[in-house]
Amino acid sequence: MKKDAGIKSQSELQFEEEVIDYLTKIGGVKQWEYKKEIRTTEQLWENFKKILEQNNYARLDQPLSITEFSQVKKVISAINSPYQAGQFLYGVNGVSEIEVDLDDGRHVFLTVFDQAQVGAGNTVYQVVNQIERAKIIDGKPNRRFDVTLLINGLPIIQIELKKALHNATEALNQMEQYIAEKQFSDIFSTLQILIAMTPFDIRYMANTTLQNFNRAFAFNWQDEEKARPIYSWKSFADQVLSIPMAHDLATRYMILDGTKNKESIKVMRPYQVYATKRVLDAVRKYDFRYDDGKLGYIWHTTGSGKTITSFKTAWLASRMPNVDKVIFLVDRIALTNQTADAYRAYDPIAGFEGKSGVVGDTANIADLHRKLTKKSDQNILVTSIQKMSRYVSRESFKPLDANILFIVDEAHRSTGDGVKNEGMLESIRKALPNSAWVGYTGTPKFPETREIFGHLLHAYTIKEAIADKNVLGFKVEFKETIEAPKDPTAEEIDDNLRGSVYDYSPVHVELVVQDIFSNWKKRSNNRKYNALLTVHVGGNRASTPRAMEYFDKFMEENKRRPKEERLKVGISFSVDTSNSNHQLETNQNLHRAINAYNHLFGTAFDMTTVKAYTEDLARRLNKTADDGNYLDLVIVVDQLLTGFDAPELNTLYIDRTLKGGNLIQAYSRTNRIHDRDAKPQGNVVNYRWPVQNEYEMNQAFAIYSNRDSAAEQLTLEELKEDNVASGILSKPFSTVEAETKDVIQKLADLTDNYLQLPPSEKAQDVVFESLQEYNRLVSQLKQYTEDDEKNPLSAYDEPEVFYQRLGITEEQEVMLTTVLANELRERRARKDEIDISQVNLEMVHIHDVRINYDYLVELIAKMADEVHEDKMDQAEKTKEEIDIEITKIESDKEMTKYRNFVTKIYTKEFEFDSYPAPIDKEEMNQAMERAQKDGNIKLLTAFIRTWGLDNSIKPKELDRLIKRHRFGQEDMDKKGELTTIMNDARLDYQEIAAAEVAALSWVKYRVAFRKAFYKMADEIKKGE
């Protein structure tokens, strides 16, 4: 207990000193060298220069001159994104170099990094702290960074520390602020990894742009065996910050994602690192001449980033001395291009200095043969199992004299619905005896996957992924429509084998469509998210007619409903070329569906462009369509239920039976991370065989959340209990309701029954965290359609029932989620010296809090009249009412605009042309615009007078210039605009400016002028 008490009372600086001391001798051996004397940016540059010279002594006769080193500084300072930094550090084939023209006329390439020397050779590892950073943006404070890890003198890992009883999120917020203030620039532009550390919580994430900063991508490290988070900072240091692991994490285990317009760096998760290491160890020990080809398989649950893991494995394996080629094998021809594109995006060489990269796809069998038999830089190939099988089956095929590593994607399908793909895989293996095989799957088949690929190399189950907050759990409903037959046989339930009453009943379709429409607002979180409906009938009958029956019913229902309640529905299935009895009907239905789609989106697809239609439909479902016009619901038979990734899809409707791996794959379409408050879980709604399908679901989750996959025969209740405890299935409504009531009571106690924030900063931090918890819970509650007793409920349709159940009134909720929440945001913004928009507290409301602008205008007019008549006591009370109304405005910008206007009326800075003041909304808006303009002119005129610009620029010209300004940016001198204004004032500012300005020297005037200009420009922008 004494030790804990010591840690809790330890200052941040003491914690920092302890961390640095530990880093210098992790594991009892010399590790990072502490450079206590380095405290400034200039000293960092000087240190880097010495190391650069030391590592390139053979190319340099003497230390670099100022001119020579300025070329180096220019290259590094020109890096303007973490992605560019990653490319620079990787260089070409793992060697990062900078080109320098020496003073003696020689042209040399100086090596900065060599990937082959991780943890060895000339690589220098140093730790520095308390680096002073002068402000980059005027008006922002100078900064001092906590701990920085340098490799060869360049900052690679930034650690921000918070003492005990503080949250790692605070350290993340701090680094986000540094990014906003452009502090990760010049020598700090090379940063790759950001670490937020407290004594009991550590998160790490890849460096990122401000626009893409997302705390959801800050991860805990995990132990290797049980995938449990590591919370001890010393354990984290041992496993992650030791050498060479820290260097590996920042290089070998970083992904350069070159996806067009979304360039970024990604750092691998612990389970991805562990899996990659295990495959590489297996490859290293593998004897391509004698072993049986079965390296093993990786079981990583759907949605956990298998593409990144398999790419890194392919990339690192392709550089191993005993591997000639790596072939990434996909099981569908349609996936070849998609996978090749993903791989190419991750290729650090592609696109850097004009290089084409090492990843190639295969246009046809001849192309595959050429790329396999000729030496080339492209030693990673992406092809389909079908193409590879046809290639080795040709009469002209000759065995290849090459060691080939096969990486098989979605390996559960290669164990095939058994025969076809399995036969192909075996034929390839026999034809290429010098090959090794590793499979990647989210849903292995037991025992088939093991029999084909060998033993399990690494597992990361759905239970672990949910606990790790890498994917979401599920809220699952089982709905009764028509009465199901009593005591059905296993065959009757399984629509892969038999048809059932659900397949034929028009009433069933009617009730499903009604349920989807009735609960759309709740399940989609007020239309923020979209959905899939999968339909399948039994007895080997075609399912597309039933899918079209649904489509027609939705169209019919849309016609009956007002525009705001209609759903944009699409349907996707393949052209039928089977010459079966169903072919004509299927293709006619598809043609009809495409025509309806064209009518909805203004497209022009037909039966000759079905592939393009399907791709366009997928883009409108995953919300990547260029025109921003998206689908609400897509009806499918089997398409899009595997491999389809859409973070803004949150609901799956199921009118079929699913079991085992297929169930997990389908459910997992809904559980991609997006916004944790708005999308707390994936929603799944089942419409047939409720009791039996609930058992199938719980059994599937039990199997795929258990590494041992011991499919014990547990009861439904036992299975359900385990799955809820694991976080796979959402808690019952009553549990979430009780948790919400507890948080609401806690907030009531902290805020004196929603009247005021507590005075202490510590208590305000508790309110902040409790409001975030309130958001999460209320968002969950609003997406339930019924309580535990199956009574329907809706925060949208019957908010008064929700308020009653939770023990809070609508007025109290408004005070809590608008007035107090906004006051808390303002205080946080002032304390952290950031703009209010950067405070991460977007409130969720039980019932939408809508501002009544008519009422607001009436209140403003009432206050204006009271001020005009000098009834200031009454005016003050009216102003308090106005402030409450203004807090209901969602936009920070608009809220500020109204507040400024009301303040100007209250202080008599603004007066209306006549009284009583107008109560017409349009007239009030015009008055607000005039008040803003008048205020701006006053600011501009005062600025011109203060700074002696009377002979340089007019207020209107200055106003025009500021219209191009963006808040918080130093963007007004790109073409020398500010410099021109200052130069024009140089001759006479000392005569006509305000006394304190006139006393400034020219150099000081220029510095102070810029600071004052941006402060004034931001003030104007704030009010607009």
Side-chain angles (χ1 to χ4, degrees):
M1 289 302 289
K2 280 185 179 175
K3 191 176 180 186
D4 271 2
I7 288 171
K8 286 175 184 175
S9 62
Q10 185 184 45
S11 76
E12 211 161 279
L13 199 54
Q14 286 171 320
F15 180 39
E16 186 175 300
E17 286 166 359
E18 191 182 353
V19 168
I20 291 168
D21 184 56
Y22 195 81
L23 290 173
T24 62
K25 52 190 180 191
I26 297 171
V29 297
K30 189 183 175 198
Q31 291 265 305
W32 301 89
E33 182 191 358
Y34 180 34
K35 304 294 285 182
K36 188 176 183 178
E37 68 278 10
I38 297 176
R39 288 295 161 97
T40 67
T41 304
E42 272 314 307
Q43 288 169 338
L44 271 180
W45 279 118
E46 192 54 40
N47 177 64
F48 168 59
K49 179 175 180 286
K50 280 181 192 161
I51 294 168
L52 187 68
E53 290 164 349
Q54 179 184 306
N55 286 347
N56 291 276
Y57 70 92
R59 296 166 194 171
L60 300 169
D61 300 331
Q62 56 192 14
L64 293 165
S65 69
I66 292 172
T67 311
E68 290 164 344
F69 188 58
S70 68
Q71 296 171 55
V72 175
K73 287 174 80 171
K74 188 177 178 184
V75 169
I76 291 169
S77 299
I79 295 168
N80 61 23
S81 72
Y83 176 73
Q84 279 187 11
Q87 282 193 314
F88 165 73
L89 293 171
Y90 185 81
V92 177
N93 292 325
V95 180
S96 172
E97 297 181 315
I98 292 179
E99 210 173 334
V100 176
D101 290 316
L102 298 179
D103 295 343
D104 62 12
R106 283 186 300 135
H107 192 71
V108 295
F109 287 87
L110 303 181
T111 299
V112 179
F113 271 105
D114 184 345
Q115 298 279 356
Q117 296 193 26
V118 171
N122 297 327
T123 309
V124 179
Y125 299 96
Q126 299 166 318
V127 55
V128 295
N129 70 319
Q130 295 296 308
I131 297 291
E132 296 164 12
R133 297 285 289 164
K135 63 179 179 285
I136 311 288
I137 297 174
D138 274 347
K140 302 295 180 188
N142 295 336
R143 295 293 184 184
R144 196 185 287 267
F145 293 172
D146 287 351
V147 177
T148 309
L149 301 183
L150 312 176
I151 302 180
N152 280 355
L154 288 177
I156 301 298
I157 298 172
Q158 182 62 35
I159 307 173
E160 287 299 318
L161 303 160
K162 292 291 169 195
K163 61 183 181 179
L165 305 179
H166 281 254
N167 197 307
T169 305
E170 291 176 43
L172 292 172
N173 294 344
Q174 201 167 323
M175 289 185 280
E176 182 185 26
Q177 189 59 32
Y178 294 160
I179 295 169
E181 293 174 8
K182 299 188 168 71
Q183 282 289 1
F184 293 163
S185 56
D186 55 79
I187 196 165
F188 276 91
S189 66
T190 55
L191 280 176
Q192 295 290 282
I193 294 174
L194 310 178
I195 295 175
M197 182 183 285
T198 77
F200 307 111
D201 189 16
I202 309 95
R203 311 283 174 87
Y204 76 102
M205 66 186 288
N207 190 13
T208 178
T209 59
L210 183 62
Q211 182 186 353
N212 293 322
F213 193 96
N214 187 342
R215 287 161 196 77
F217 297 124
F219 317 131
N220 289 113
W221 195 255
Q222 297 164 338
D223 68 59
E224 186 164 1
E225 288 310 315
K226 295 186 178 174
R228 285 183 183 146
I230 285 170
Y231 294 117
S232 154
W233 72 266
K234 285 184 179 175
S235 299
F236 179 85
D238 291 343
Q239 295 192 35
V240 182
L241 298 181
S242 56
I243 298 165
M245 181 58 198
H247 197 168
D248 275 340
L249 193 66
T251 52
R252 281 160 65 87
Y253 301 126
M254 292 297 290
I255 301 285
L256 288 171
D257 186 349
T259 304
K260 194 179 176 188
N261 301 324
K262 293 182 180 177
E263 290 86 356
S264 64
I265 57 174
K266 293 181 167 86
V267 60
M268 291 176 82
R269 308 290 298 267
Y271 60 87
Q272 294 173 316
V273 171
Y274 293 141
T276 303
K277 278 182 170 181
R278 289 195 186 180
V279 175
L280 295 176
D281 283 346
V283 174
R284 196 172 288 113
K285 295 169 191 166
Y286 185 75
D287 189 330
F288 281 85
R289 288 167 302 167
Y290 300 115
D291 289 346
D292 66 359
K294 298 178 181 181
L295 277 180
Y297 70 96
I298 301 294
W299 168 16
H300 281 187
T301 191
T302 308
S304 61
K306 285 191 298 298
T307 306
I308 281 179
T309 315
S310 62
F311 169 76
K312 259 304 174 184
T313 307
W315 176 266
L316 295 168
S318 72
R319 277 150 176 69
M320 293 173 78
N322 63 334
V323 176
D324 297 311
K325 294 276 181 186
V326 177
I327 297 181
F328 191 81
L329 216 54
V330 298
D331 80 318
R332 283 177 288 174
I333 292 168
L335 283 175
T336 309
N337 290 343
Q338 180 186 318
T339 307
D341 287 346
Y343 264 31
R344 268 193 288 266
Y346 296 152
D347 184 346
I349 293 174
F352 184 63
E353 297 186 352
K355 303 283 180 186
S356 61
V358 301
V359 177
D361 54 4
T362 53
N364 48 44
I365 288 173
D367 186 33
L368 174 61
H369 174 72
R370 189 173 64 256
K371 284 176 176 167
L372 276 174
T373 52
K374 289 196 175 171
K375 284 207 165 190
S376 159
D377 287 342
Q378 291 198 329
N379 59 346
I380 301 175
L381 296 180
V382 180
T383 193
S384 68
I385 195 168
Q386 293 87 350
K387 200 180 289 180
M388 196 76 208
S389 175
R390 289 203 307 275
Y391 168 57
V392 299
S393 303
R394 294 195 310 179
E395 284 183 26
S396 58
F397 174 75
K398 290 177 184 167
L400 302 171
D401 184 24
N403 292 349
I404 299 173
L405 172 65
F406 281 94
I407 293 178
V408 182
D409 188 30
E410 301 293 358
H412 57 277
R413 290 202 291 261
S414 303
T415 57
D417 286 301
V419 185
K420 194 176 175 189
N421 279 3
E422 184 184 356
M424 289 181 186
L425 194 146
E426 280 307 313
S427 68
I428 298 165
R429 191 179 300 197
K430 282 174 188 165
L432 297 166
N434 286 10
S435 63
W437 295 73
V438 61
Y440 283 77
T441 174
T443 49
K445 292 192 172 173
F446 307 107
E448 296 92 331
T449 304
R450 183 191 181 103
E451 286 166 1
I452 286 186
F453 291 100
H455 65 285
L456 175 65
L457 290 169
H458 191 263
Y460 183 68
T461 68
I462 192 162
K463 178 166 76 176
E464 289 154 355
I466 288 168
D468 194 28
K469 295 185 179 169
N470 193 26
V471 296
L472 301 171
F474 302 95
K475 179 169 73 64
V476 187
E477 298 176 65
F478 293 89
K479 307 289 284 190
E480 287 273 16
T481 54
I482 56 175
E483 191 178 342
K486 297 270 187 292
D487 303 318
T489 64
E491 273 196 3
E492 282 177 291
I493 295 163
D494 190 343
D495 59 40
N496 284 314
L497 303 172
R498 290 270 300 272
S500 72
V501 62
Y502 293 103
D503 295 346
Y504 305 99
S505 165
V507 177
H508 175 67
V509 172
E510 174 81 36
L511 291 171
V512 168
V513 171
Q514 285 303 326
D515 179 71
I516 290 172
F517 268 105
S518 301
N519 293 298
W520 186 264
K521 210 170 182 183
K522 283 166 276 190
R523 292 183 185 129
S524 68
N525 196 348
N526 207 11
R527 294 179 169 263
K528 189 168 184 175
Y529 295 99
N530 55 20
L532 268 175
L533 165 61
T534 175
V535 182
H536 190 274
V537 299
N540 288 321
R541 291 170 54 243
S543 296
T544 49
R546 188 64 161 177
M548 279 306 290
E549 196 178 333
Y550 269 108
F551 181 77
D552 293 336
K553 185 56 72 178
F554 277 108
M555 295 301 100
E556 191 183 304
E557 193 62 34
N558 269 337
K559 283 177 187 169
R560 282 204 290 267
R561 290 179 176 263
K563 199 171 181 181
E564 66 275 9
E565 288 181 22
R566 291 175 194 165
L567 299 179
K568 285 187 271 188
V569 180
I571 186 166
S572 181
F573 48 85
S574 303
V575 175
D576 191 337
T577 55
S578 66
N579 296 321
S580 69
N581 297 335
H582 311 298
Q583 181 173 335
L584 179 62
E585 184 187 7
T586 299
N587 292 340
Q588 282 176 336
N589 280 337
L590 184 57
H591 188 224
R592 190 156 59 82
I594 290 172
N595 285 340
Y597 186 90
N598 289 335
H599 180 72
L600 189 58
F601 294 111
T603 47
F605 299 110
D606 57 31
M607 293 300 284
T608 66
T609 54
V610 173
K611 184 170 178 271
Y613 158 73
T614 307
E615 287 169 357
D616 192 73
L617 177 137
R619 279 193 291 272
R620 295 190 192 280
L621 184 59
N622 70 16
K623 297 197 174 184
T624 57
D626 292 338
D627 63 4
N629 199 357
Y630 308 132
L631 281 155
D632 293 313
L633 177 74
V634 171
I635 304 165
V636 296
V637 178
D638 292 310
Q639 285 182 350
L640 306 179
L641 293 184
T642 58
F644 179 69
D645 202 1
E648 290 179 77
L649 186 152
N650 81 330
T651 304
L652 173 68
Y653 297 103
I654 302 173
D655 186 22
R656 65 187 302 170
T657 53
L658 288 169
K659 57 173 72 174
N662 291 337
L663 182 146
I664 303 288
Q665 288 284 341
Y667 276 40
S668 296
R669 297 315 103 208
T670 70
N671 75 337
R672 298 300 192 267
I673 300 288
H674 184 248
D675 172 338
R676 283 199 171 274
D677 286 340
K679 187 184 176 185
Q681 68 262 312
N683 298 323
V684 180
V685 189
N686 287 277
Y687 290 111
R688 54 170 76 190
W689 305 114
V691 175
Q692 294 83 354
N693 275 332
E694 187 173 8
Y695 185 83
E696 288 290 355
M697 176 196 74
N698 279 287
Q699 192 173 47
F701 280 131
I703 290 169
Y704 285 101
S705 65
N706 177 4
R707 288 183 180 212
D708 301 323
S709 292
E712 305 163 56
Q713 288 302 304
L714 301 175
T715 67
L716 176 58
E717 284 311 308
E718 287 169 326
L719 289 167
K720 199 192 289 187
E721 199 176 310
D722 286 349
N723 290 330
V724 170
S726 299
I728 295 168
L729 296 178
S730 65
K731 297 169 184 173
F733 176 85
S734 58
T735 306
V736 183
E737 183 183 42
E739 288 174 8
T740 312
K741 286 164 87 167
D742 288 347
V743 171
I744 286 172
Q745 188 56 54
K746 184 179 179 182
L747 284 163
D749 296 342
L750 283 163
T751 61
D752 191 14
N753 232 19
Y754 320 109
L755 291 176
Q756 60 188 0
L757 289 175
S760 86
E761 248 182 44
K762 199 170 179 182
Q764 286 171 24
D765 287 345
V766 176
V767 172
F768 191 88
E769 285 165 15
S770 300
L771 283 172
Q772 288 179 317
E773 181 71 354
Y774 171 91
N775 283 340
R776 186 182 67 78
L777 291 165
V778 168
S779 190
Q780 276 186 55
L781 280 181
K782 288 175 76 173
Q783 291 176 44
Y784 281 85
T785 61
E786 54 193 23
D787 62 18
D788 295 1
E789 283 74 47
K790 303 285 184 189
N791 299 312
L793 49 87
S794 170
Y796 298 98
D797 302 331
E798 295 180 296
E800 61 283 352
V801 175
F802 252 68
Y803 286 124
Q804 206 174 337
R805 293 184 76 136
L806 295 176
I808 188 172
T809 67
E810 186 168 3
E811 291 73 22
Q812 287 170 331
E813 192 218 9
V814 168
M815 278 299 293
L816 179 67
T817 61
T818 61
V819 179
L820 296 181
N822 277 313
E823 190 183 330
L824 189 57
R825 290 174 71 223
E826 285 168 3
R827 289 192 190 190
R828 281 239 161 173
R830 280 197 299 274
K831 185 185 86 173
D832 296 342
E833 298 178 318
I834 57 176
D835 187 60
I836 191 169
S837 61
Q838 287 179 291
V839 179
N840 187 30
L841 188 67
E842 294 294 323
M843 290 307 299
V844 173
H845 309 291
I846 293 170
H847 185 50
D848 287 346
V849 176
R850 295 195 184 281
I851 175 132
N852 183 335
Y853 281 99
D854 291 329
Y855 178 53
L856 178 60
V857 167
E858 280 176 30
L859 284 175
I860 294 171
K862 180 173 182 267
M863 187 194 76
D865 292 340
E866 288 162 350
V867 170
H868 182 64
E869 292 163 18
D870 229 18
K871 298 174 181 173
M872 296 309 292
D873 287 348
Q874 290 176 25
E876 190 179 352
K877 285 178 185 169
T878 309
K879 186 174 182 294
E880 283 172 11
E881 286 184 65
I882 290 169
D883 287 340
I884 290 173
E885 280 304 303
I886 286 174
T887 56
K888 296 178 186 178
I889 297 172
E890 284 192 11
S891 158
D892 287 330
K893 212 169 178 183
E894 194 177 356
M895 195 187 293
T896 305
K897 193 174 174 181
Y898 269 94
R899 276 198 177 141
N900 288 347
F901 181 49
V902 169
T903 302
K904 282 172 184 170
I905 296 170
Y906 186 73
T907 58
K908 300 186 180 178
E909 189 185 328
F910 177 82
E911 292 185 358
F912 289 92
D913 293 337
S914 62
Y915 289 87
I919 55 171
D920 176 72
K921 202 158 58 175
E922 193 51 48
E923 284 182 59
M924 191 63 82
N925 275 335
Q926 286 169 6
M928 190 155 49
E929 292 297 329
R930 181 159 61 85
Q932 179 62 38
K933 266 187 186 169
D934 291 350
N936 288 356
I937 292 295
K938 279 182 187 171
L939 269 176
L940 293 165
T941 306
F943 185 81
I944 286 169
R945 293 277 150 77
T946 303
W947 291 89
L949 307 178
D950 302 65
N951 301 326
S952 309
I953 194 164
K954 293 182 172 57
K956 280 189 178 176
E957 292 167 355
L958 201 54
D959 187 42
R960 272 199 297 275
L961 179 66
I962 289 169
K963 278 201 171 26
R964 302 204 313 267
H965 171 61
R966 289 173 62 197
F967 183 86
Q969 302 290 313
E970 286 196 16
D971 53 3
M972 289 287 97
D973 206 22
K974 288 179 179 172
K975 295 180 181 174
E977 301 94 323
L978 281 194
T979 303
T980 302
I981 294 168
M982 286 187 287
N983 287 342
D984 287 347
R986 184 173 186 176
L987 294 175
D988 50 13
Y989 82 88
Q990 289 177 319
E991 292 174 24
I992 60 177
E996 67 274 15
V997 172
L1000 297 172
S1001 68
W1002 172 238
V1003 173
K1004 286 183 178 175
Y1005 173 88
R1006 291 182 61 160
V1007 173
F1009 176 90
R1010 284 179 188 278
K1011 187 175 178 180
F1013 173 83
Y1014 282 115
K1015 187 179 177 186
M1016 181 261 305
D1018 277 353
E1019 191 64 35
I1020 286 172
K1021 281 292 166 184
K1022 249 186 191 177
E1024 284 181 357

